[in-house]
Amino acid sequence: MFRTALRNVLAHKGRLLMTALAVMLGTAFVAGTLVFTDTLGSALRSQNSKSYTDITVTVSDREAVGRAYDHGSRAHNGPTLTEDTRKAVAALPGVADVRGVVSGFAGIADKKGALIGNGFSTTGTNYVPGADGTDQRYPLVEGRGPKNATEIALDAKTAEKGGYKVGDTVRVAVNGPVMELKLTGTLRTNDPRVVAGGSLAAFDSATAQQLYLSPGRFGGLDVKAKPGTDDSALLAAVKQTVPHGDNLDARTGRELADEQDRMIQQGTKGMSTALLVFAGIALFVGIFIIANTFTMLVAQRTKELALLRAIGASRKQITRSVKIEAALVGLTASVAGLVAGIGIAAGFKALLNGPMDANLPDGPLIVAPTTVVAAIAVGVLVTLLAAWLPARRASRIAPVAAMSSAEQPATQKSLVVRNTIGLLFALAGVAALVAGASSKEVKLVGAGAGALLIGVFVLTPLLSRPLIALFAPLLRGLYGTPGRLAKENAIRNPRRTAATASALTIGVTLITALTVVGASVNKAVDKATASDLKADFTVTMQNFSMLSPEVAAQIAKAPGVSAMSVERTVPVTIGANGADSSHGADGADGADTEWLTAVDGATIDQLATVKVKEGAADALKQGKMLVNSGSSGRTRYKVGDTLAVTYPDGTKGSLTVGGVLESSTSLTGIVAPDAVVGPHAAPGTGPNRVLVKGTDGPTGKLKQALRDATGGNPLIAVKGEKDIKAENRQIVTGILNMMYGLLGMSVVIAVLGVVNTMAMSVFERRREIGMLRAIGLDRLGIRRMVRLESLLIALFGGLVGVVLGIVVAWAGLRTLADTFKGITTEVPPLQILGFLLAAAVVGLVAALWPAYKAAKMDILGAIKSE
């Protein structure tokens, strides 16, 4: 039976080509994902290891780091790391060197004033020269390091992007006015933030301390040991030397490197899992193609299998023969897919480091043994799973019945059982979707979507006849006999049509659902931005840190400003130390931390929509606070409650609830007057953003005036309503495009399935095609018949996919009602029509080769064939 299976594979290798390609593509996706993530993880870990080569022990001041990156958002409440501390640690036995570290955000402007890099990776640090005048951590590419407050050094890539050369004046800012500094040199760095596309600005240590902390203060100490020094012993000595406080943390460099390695591993594992989900979708699509192919091959070899049964082959042997064929196809395709996956991973890495400029760290391509085993095992198992049912059906055909017919029709009983199972799954799926949408349970919606998809797939043969029949009048009217024949051919074998269409349905369903969700989220965010925000412009930091405290005063003086309000978000403790609460709001007597939003009570109603459900609309002007009811329409606090509050600076006070706000995206949580909260914010902190109303509306002149008022800081963004909407749409569009790209493989495999089905169908019907040619249907009619049949199958799959996608998206969107105010299901008609047209194009393109083969068939040879 093994020799028989091998002979059949070699005899039908042309017909198995598309199946092998489907398996190969799915396996390549799996292998490429594993190789790429292993390679990326290895390179990142290697780079991380190099980052800690010269660090034996590190001491970090968590408070100082938070202060540097939040621009003064944390109070100074603990011991500090100073130059005296650094010298004391340097004097310890076994210490070779101690580096004082200062870092934070630093925005570099190009020569047009635009920010280089993204806001989160704009890094500033201190340059620490040694005896030779160079900093070993940041090797010089050109020039020298900075020596005073008028000088700066940049990493080489940032200097290149900005068009800067040594000696040029560089515009740089932290969170205040722009500084114009002389570029003294360019550096190399392996800082992951910079390597990933960020920027590095190096100041002399005194300047960095002045910008980020305070004179003489460090955010951390990096200790390098002399050869032979024990890490643990040195760590213990350092802990005894530095001041003791909860804000100071001392660890060995190896511990810190191991922690970073764990974070890298978790990150690459999450990326791998996400990519493997899409690889699984592609393989799932492939199952339909494999099953369809083997079903058709078994049908074409019915007499051959019957003869084997007649001469003594058992059912198990017949089943085993088909499974061996599947295993051979799966093994061959999986090996090819593994090789292709390695190539894809290498190509993707080159693409990211080349045209996309992702600056991934260098490292060898990692092909782990587990990757090889996983890729081959997945390909073979998927092929065997898909071929199991056709193999089982082949073994159950009685020899006499098989010899008398080339293809055995499905029994009425099997069809009833199939339709019943499909209906039950579909009803259960609909019920779960409705229940999940009502209760906003994501897991229930997911389970319902899965059950509905399974149910529809099982019912597809039943649905194919009426849905395909919808197009019959159009086809007959436009194409006459070829159109009528195409319709009859498409519904002749509903199971085959269903399996072919289902492969395409999966991709269309997911793409439609993503598109509807994206359009609905965009519409909801646009609507909320327009209705909740009255301000003409908002001024924020591009890295979402806090603005400088001086910014609000600078904006107030800008020409054309008619009203403005700061928006400051601070953590407060409600009901701490058992302070009195006149109405005893739930949880008010405990020590609960809440985020409080402080605004200007006198002007906020001109800048944001303030709708009060209960209480006084002018509560903020009275010095009272408002609480947001949220989308649930409920709040834990009631009008009149007086809440004991502990502010960030430790000051205690009380706030009275003056009203309950309707759900708003602009004013969230607890809202209080900044006149009450501002004086108690952490020292040196500024607002999160400033809302601005112009005398003449959102004019370009006002926007430029706000930029000028903030010193042209490249880290500060001035955004109008259109900018905010465009930014939100860009985020959603970016996510959708990435999803579309990942789903592209499943669509390609679905196209292969249509090609395969049509090619094998033409081979199956060669006698019929010969007869049609003999009675007068010309080659153009034959080609048109095959193309229209493929078109019908593709449109059927696309139509079912569009409907399923909209239904699944509707249920999913209901679970987002708490996140997006007033979200509704938005179905973009042009895009949906585009998907159906794309499905039609898929059908026509997939039929080109089969139609060509059918039209070129020799008439007499086709009539004589079995």
Side-chain angles (χ1 to χ4, degrees):
M1 297 307 294
F2 178 81
R3 287 196 301 272
T4 302
L6 182 60
R7 185 205 66 193
N8 284 327
V9 170
L10 295 176
H12 301 105
K13 52 184 179 292
R15 285 178 248 174
L16 289 168
L17 176 62
M18 295 302 171
T19 296
L21 281 175
V23 177
M24 187 196 76
L25 289 174
T27 306
F29 203 154
V30 173
T33 294
L34 295 176
V35 171
F36 177 73
T37 52
D38 286 347
T39 299
L40 178 61
S42 175
L44 289 173
R45 287 192 294 272
S46 176
Q47 183 187 65
N48 178 58
S49 178
K50 291 177 183 177
S51 300
Y52 295 98
T53 301
D54 295 331
I55 300 176
T56 309
V57 173
T58 180
V59 184
S60 61
D61 183 343
R62 288 189 291 261
E63 182 184 278
V65 172
R67 184 179 178 84
Y69 281 94
D70 294 343
H71 299 301
S73 66
R74 303 185 187 194
H76 175 195
N77 295 317
T80 61
L81 299 174
T82 64
E83 178 63 19
D84 290 338
T85 311
R86 191 194 71 78
K87 289 179 178 178
V89 174
L92 291 172
V95 173
D97 185 38
V98 179
R99 178 191 182 92
V101 179
V102 184
S103 62
F105 289 119
I108 310 298
D110 62 18
K111 292 185 177 181
K112 295 181 179 179
L115 179 68
I116 301 175
N118 60 67
F120 287 107
S121 299
T122 52
T123 307
T125 190
N126 60 323
Y127 188 83
V128 185
D132 61 352
T134 64
D135 188 337
Q136 298 301 314
R137 180 167 294 184
Y138 302 112
L140 286 167
V141 175
E142 187 180 3
R144 62 172 176 82
K147 294 181 179 179
N148 54 56
T150 65
E151 298 178 342
I152 190 174
L154 300 177
D155 69 279
K157 281 189 175 293
T158 297
E160 182 182 350
K161 290 177 183 177
Y164 291 118
K165 295 180 180 179
V166 173
D168 287 349
T169 299
V170 178
R171 300 181 73 248
V172 58
V174 179
N175 69 332
V178 171
M179 301 174 288
E180 294 189 349
L181 307 177
K182 180 182 178 181
L183 181 63
T184 62
T186 57
L187 316 166
R188 288 197 305 271
T189 178
N190 57 10
D191 187 322
R193 293 168 296 183
V194 181
V195 172
S199 63
L200 176 69
F203 308 93
D204 69 287
S205 291
T207 302
Q209 290 171 335
Q210 184 68 43
L211 289 172
Y212 297 119
L213 298 171
S214 56
R217 186 179 182 187
F218 295 110
L221 300 176
D222 290 341
V223 184
K224 181 181 179 181
K226 295 178 180 178
T229 304
D230 181 72
D231 292 6
S232 300
L234 183 58
L235 175 63
V238 169
K239 286 183 175 180
Q240 291 296 321
T241 305
V242 300
H244 297 284
D246 293 338
N247 62 309
L248 299 183
D249 178 39
R251 286 184 287 178
T252 65
R254 183 68 266 163
E255 289 174 339
L256 198 59
D258 289 343
E259 181 181 332
Q260 293 295 320
D261 281 350
R262 286 192 293 271
M263 293 175 64
I264 291 170
Q265 186 175 4
Q266 290 175 357
T268 53
K269 184 179 179 181
M271 179 193 299
S272 178
T273 300
L275 291 174
L276 287 176
V277 168
F278 289 93
I281 293 170
L283 286 168
F284 183 63
V285 171
I287 287 177
F288 289 92
I289 298 172
I290 299 165
N292 215 15
T293 301
F294 277 94
T295 298
M296 295 174 76
L297 283 175
V298 166
Q300 292 170 11
R301 287 163 36 208
T302 302
K303 289 186 177 181
E304 174 190 331
L305 295 174
L307 182 59
L308 289 173
R309 288 291 313 280
I311 62 175
S314 65
R315 286 184 174 180
K316 287 185 178 180
Q317 287 178 309
I318 297 296
T319 303
R320 192 179 303 128
S321 173
V322 178
K323 287 181 179 179
I324 291 171
E325 290 181 46
L328 290 172
V329 172
L331 180 61
T332 304
S334 298
V335 172
L338 174 62
V339 175
I342 295 171
I344 289 171
F348 189 51
K349 182 183 176 185
L351 177 66
L352 289 174
N353 278 335
M356 299 183 70
D357 196 27
N359 296 310
L360 297 180
D362 292 330
L365 208 62
I366 304 298
V367 184
T370 52
T371 298
V372 176
V373 173
I376 294 177
V378 165
V380 173
L381 289 175
V382 165
T383 310
L384 284 173
L385 176 65
W388 174 78
L389 192 57
R392 188 166 175 268
R393 285 176 182 163
S395 67
R396 291 196 168 189
I397 299 174
V400 175
M403 289 181 183
S404 64
S405 175
E407 186 173 350
Q408 298 299 308
T411 63
Q412 186 66 28
K413 179 181 178 182
S414 69
L415 292 174
V416 170
V417 171
R418 177 180 179 132
N419 292 338
T420 302
I421 293 173
L423 185 62
L424 290 175
F425 266 101
L427 290 175
V430 171
L433 283 176
V434 173
S438 301
S439 60
K440 299 181 178 61
E441 285 289 338
V442 177
K443 290 182 179 179
L444 191 56
V445 169
L452 179 60
L453 286 173
I454 293 172
V456 170
F457 289 156
V458 175
L459 287 172
T460 304
L462 181 65
L463 298 173
S464 63
R465 289 181 180 273
L467 290 179
I468 289 178
L470 292 175
F471 301 98
L474 179 63
L475 293 179
R476 282 198 300 268
L478 292 176
Y479 301 106
T481 299
R484 185 169 63 252
L485 289 172
K487 178 254 183 180
E488 294 299 327
N489 288 335
I491 63 175
R492 178 189 297 184
N493 192 326
R495 285 185 172 179
R496 182 182 303 171
T497 298
T500 306
S502 294
L504 188 59
T505 296
I506 296 169
V508 176
T509 297
L510 295 173
I511 289 173
T512 300
L514 287 172
T515 302
V516 173
V517 169
S520 302
V521 169
N522 277 332
K523 184 70 175 291
V525 173
D526 285 353
K527 184 178 178 181
T529 301
S531 63
D532 294 344
L533 192 64
K534 295 180 181 178
D536 292 326
F537 293 104
T538 64
V539 181
T540 60
M541 293 290 287
Q542 293 204 51
N543 53 24
F544 298 102
S545 63
M546 293 183 177
L547 291 160
S548 171
E550 298 83 22
V551 168
Q554 293 168 347
I555 290 174
K557 297 176 183 177
V561 174
S562 62
M564 59 155 286
S565 170
V566 300
E567 188 175 292
R568 187 194 316 271
T569 304
V570 297
V572 296
T573 304
I574 301 291
N577 300 323
D580 292 338
S581 174
S582 62
H583 287 266
D586 293 341
D589 292 332
D592 297 330
T593 299
E594 298 268 13
W595 286 95
L596 186 149
T597 300
V599 296
D600 188 334
T603 60
I604 190 62
D605 56 349
Q606 301 176 52
L607 301 158
T609 301
V610 183
K611 291 184 179 180
V612 177
K613 293 173 60 177
E614 302 174 35
D618 60 349
L620 293 174
K621 295 179 181 179
Q622 299 173 19
K624 298 179 180 180
M625 71 179 192
L626 297 172
V627 290
N628 198 296
S629 60
S631 58
S632 63
R634 297 189 303 272
T635 177
R636 63 188 298 188
Y637 303 117
K638 299 183 290 293
V639 175
D641 286 344
T642 299
L643 309 177
V645 177
T646 301
Y647 294 105
D649 65 350
T651 303
K652 293 178 173 57
S654 63
L655 285 171
T656 301
V657 179
V660 177
L661 287 168
E662 289 188 6
S663 177
S664 171
T665 58
S666 181
L667 300 176
T668 59
I670 300 174
V671 185
D674 191 60
V676 176
V677 177
H680 304 300
T685 60
N688 295 78
R689 66 175 179 172
V690 178
L691 307 179
V692 181
K693 191 79 173 175
T695 305
D696 301 320
T699 62
K701 184 178 179 181
L702 175 59
K703 190 173 187 177
Q704 187 59 48
L706 295 175
R707 285 175 175 160
D708 293 340
T710 55
N713 188 329
L715 274 175
I716 294 179
V718 180
K719 301 175 185 177
E721 182 181 319
K722 290 182 179 179
D723 300 318
I724 295 172
K725 288 181 178 179
E727 188 177 81
N728 292 330
R729 285 183 174 275
Q730 186 177 12
I731 294 172
V732 174
T733 301
I735 294 172
L736 288 179
N737 289 338
M738 181 180 68
M739 295 291 190
Y740 292 156
L742 292 172
L743 288 171
M745 187 69 77
S746 63
V747 176
V748 171
I749 293 175
V751 173
L752 293 178
V754 179
V755 174
N756 198 38
T757 298
M758 295 310 302
M760 295 186 72
S761 178
V762 166
F763 179 82
E764 239 179 28
R765 304 203 307 262
R766 58 193 183 280
R767 173 182 281 186
E768 175 187 318
I769 292 171
M771 292 296 295
L772 288 171
R773 288 292 313 283
I775 62 175
L777 191 62
D778 60 10
R779 288 182 175 180
L780 178 61
I782 294 295
R783 285 198 298 268
R784 184 170 290 167
M785 176 187 73
V786 175
R787 287 199 299 264
L788 290 176
E789 180 183 349
S790 178
L791 174 66
L792 285 173
I793 293 173
L795 280 175
F796 168 57
L799 184 61
V800 173
V802 163
V803 173
L804 283 175
I806 293 172
V807 171
V808 171
W810 166 81
L813 287 168
R814 296 299 301 160
T815 67
L816 299 177
D818 289 341
T819 306
F820 297 98
K821 174 188 173 185
I823 192 167
T824 56
T825 304
E826 296 291 329
V827 180
L830 291 179
Q831 287 178 276
I832 297 302
L833 181 60
F835 296 151
L836 290 175
L837 290 176
V841 171
V842 164
L844 292 174
V845 171
L848 289 177
W849 181 63
Y852 172 80
K853 295 291 289 183
K856 286 290 185 180
M857 200 175 291
D858 178 70
I859 298 176
L860 294 178
I863 294 174
K864 290 179 180 179
S865 63
E866 289 291 334

